[in-house]
Amino acid sequence: QVQLVESGGGLVQAGGSLRLSCAASGRTFSSNAMGWFRQAPGKEREFVAAISWSGSSTTYANSVKGRFTISRVNAKNTVYLQMNSLKPEDTAVYYCNAYTSPTYYSGSYPRDWGQGTQVTVSS
């Protein structure tokens, strides 16, 4: 199992930027694809972005494409989510996750989760 701890959330004005970090420990970090989900009040948790074990492949939800960038540094056991041009509708608790395989497709699914970090975007 991978233990995940998110940080970097906060309050920002619309149009601003934040960078979320997720520090991993436990099972070998570089063996797993990683991702970010978010959950707004009263809504279901939704996919935001994912990255393969090597960082060579990424994918994004349409709602954040072109504004958010996921990256990872395996030597630091850390995955990041750079969020630019933030909108009030980006307000949510953001969760880091580890997938069950080196990729986020072909049957892989999120298994390990962090506790979440709050992002609030004011208009």
Side-chain angles (χ1 to χ4, degrees), residues 14-78:
S17 298
L18 282 175
R19 188 177 80 156
L20 305 184
S21 300
C22 174
S25 61
R27 185 161 42 95
T28 304
F29 173 78
S30 60
S31 298
N32 298 88
M34 300 292 295
W36 290 91
F37 281 66
R38 67 186 182 186
Q39 187 167 18
K43 295 187 177 181
E44 293 187 354
R45 191 172 297 190
E46 64 175 3
F47 170 78
V48 175
I51 186 168
S52 63
W53 70 276
S54 65
S56 62
S57 180
T58 58
T59 188
Y60 298 90
N62 286 336
S63 58
V64 307
K65 200 172 294 183
R67 300 187 298 121
F68 290 11
T69 302
I70 188 170
S71 62
R72 64 189 297 163
V73 178
N74 287 344
K76 295 184 177 181
N77 285 1
T78 302

Side-chain angles (χ1 to χ4, degrees), residues 3-7 21-25 36 96 113-116:
Q3 288 76 47
L4 304 169
V5 178
E6 302 96 335
S7 61
S21 300
C22 174
S25 61
W36 290 91
C96 174
W113 296 89
Q115 82 291 346

Side-chain angles (χ1 to χ4, degrees), residues 64-116:
V64 307
K65 200 172 294 183
R67 300 187 298 121
F68 290 11
T69 302
I70 188 170
S71 62
R72 64 189 297 163
V73 178
N74 287 344
K76 295 184 177 181
N77 285 1
T78 302
V79 63
Y80 304 96
L81 186 68
Q82 177 67 44
M83 306 185 296
N84 299 328
S85 302
L86 282 161
K87 305 175 181 179
E89 51 264 44
D90 294 319
T91 295
V93 177
Y94 283 71
Y95 297 91
C96 174
N97 71 276
Y99 283 79
T100 53
S101 80
T103 65
Y104 46 81
Y105 45 86
S106 298
S108 182
Y109 58 91
R111 177 174 61 191
D112 306 305
W113 296 89
Q115 82 291 346

